[in-house]
Amino acid sequence: LAKTTQPISMDSYEGQEVNITCSHNNIATNDYITWYQQFPSQGPRFIIQGYKTKVTNEVASLFIPADRKSSTLSLPRVSLSDTAVYYCLVGAHNTDKLIFGTGTRLQVFP
Amino acid sequence: DAGVIQSPRHEVTEMGQEVTLRCKPISGHDYLFWYRQTMMRGLELLIYFNNNVPIDDSGMPEDRFSAKMPNASFSTLKIQPSEPRDSAVYFCASSLVSSGVAYNEQFFGPGTRLTVL
């Protein structure tokens, strides 16, 4: 399982776009990049997953450069309710388990 | 679907007592995971099952911890005897590898907050 590195914390204000970058220099050919979100007092929740280029859903966008050694989770126009910890995970589709790192604690201010 | 169900939501016990945490996975899911989360160590995978069979228990901290999955709809995590350092939030998650929004998407329960005095 590839190791990931992401900022420990980030601050933002309501209405701004937030970009959280994750480094995964040792990503393997079969690895996918997945992001989870964890609100206080809740379990993590899947946000988005991608392999290359760009993926977008109703919650976020995921940008993956051609070398795939990093990825950026983009949250458009954040609100106070986006305050959470965001985890970047890397693993192959046939990998059973997930390894969560320390995550990025996003604090959104009014 | 009700999602992953865990009970109890909160447990306070005294050192030395036996603690049993319970989990009901999402119907049809074939993987079940137990995690522990603390401020110091983050979210740690303890053990996981595939089709009710334990696959990897390398994360179980000590022999005081044991987990069972007698059938596809129920699993327990037992700590005996409990110690203050076991205080944490314990999450259960389930997944169905071959379907869902994405590969290996895990669905987490609300967690059990355990306090050992």
Side-chain angles (χ1 to χ4, degrees):
Chain A
L1 295 170
K3 178 179 170 58
T4 61
T5 303
Q6 52 185 124
I8 294 175
S9 65
M10 294 182 68
D11 292 336
S12 183
Y13 292 93
E14 283 190 295
Q16 290 189 333
E17 179 183 74
V18 171
N19 296 309
I20 305 174
T21 297
C22 178
S23 297
H24 27 80
N25 292 319
N26 296 323
I27 190 169
T29 302
N30 292 334
D31 286 346
Y32 282 75
I33 301 156
T34 308
W35 287 79
Y36 278 74
Q37 173 191 56
Q38 185 177 23
F39 295 117
S41 302
Q42 295 186 26
R45 180 177 73 118
F46 171 91
I47 301 178
I48 197 166
Q49 184 181 77
Y51 183 80
K52 62 180 178 180
T53 63
K54 177 183 174 183
V55 179
T56 298
N57 62 22
E58 66 278 5
V59 177
S61 295
L62 178 59
F63 297 93
I64 305 169
D67 66 4
R68 304 198 329 121
K69 293 185 182 299
S70 67
S71 59
T72 299
L73 176 73
S74 181
L75 304 173
R77 298 181 299 281
V78 294
S79 65
L80 296 177
S81 62
D82 292 315
T83 294
V85 178
Y86 293 82
Y87 297 94
C88 167
L89 300 93
V90 173
H93 72 277
N94 59 353
T95 299
D96 297 338
K97 61 184 182 182
L98 302 175
I99 303 298
F100 287 82
T102 55
T104 298
R105 187 172 299 274
L106 173 66
Q107 179 68 55
V108 180
F109 296 96
Chain B
D1 198 317
V4 175
I5 299 172
Q6 292 187 247
S7 64
R9 293 295 309 277
H10 302 274
E11 177 82 23
V12 180
T13 189
E14 293 187 346
M15 183 174 62
Q17 296 298 306
E18 177 179 294
V19 175
T20 299
L21 310 181
R22 297 173 177 79
C23 175
K24 176 179 170 56
I26 293 173
S27 177
H29 281 192
D30 54 2
Y31 280 82
L32 184 139
F33 305 81
W34 282 100
Y35 293 85
R36 176 175 69 175
Q37 186 170 40
T38 62
M39 288 294 293
M40 291 297 295
R41 302 177 66 89
L43 193 60
E44 304 173 278
L45 176 64
L46 300 178
I47 184 172
Y48 73 95
F49 297 81
N50 177 218
N51 292 321
N52 313 337
V53 176
I55 302 300
D56 184 348
D57 65 354
S58 60
M60 296 286 262
E62 300 172 35
D63 291 345
R64 299 183 296 106
F65 286 71
S66 63
K68 294 182 179 180
M69 192 165 185
N71 57 63
S73 60
F74 183 67
S75 177
T76 60
L77 178 67
K78 184 177 295 186
I79 309 173
Q80 167 62 20
S82 59
E83 297 183 3
R85 58 195 168 116
D86 300 330
S87 296
V89 180
Y90 291 81
F91 289 103
C92 175
S94 70
S95 72
L96 179 61
V97 175
S98 61
S99 70
V101 175
Y103 293 119
N104 300 327
E105 180 183 358
Q106 292 186 14
F107 296 82
F108 284 74
T112 295
R113 182 172 296 277
L114 173 65
T115 302
V116 183
L117 303 175

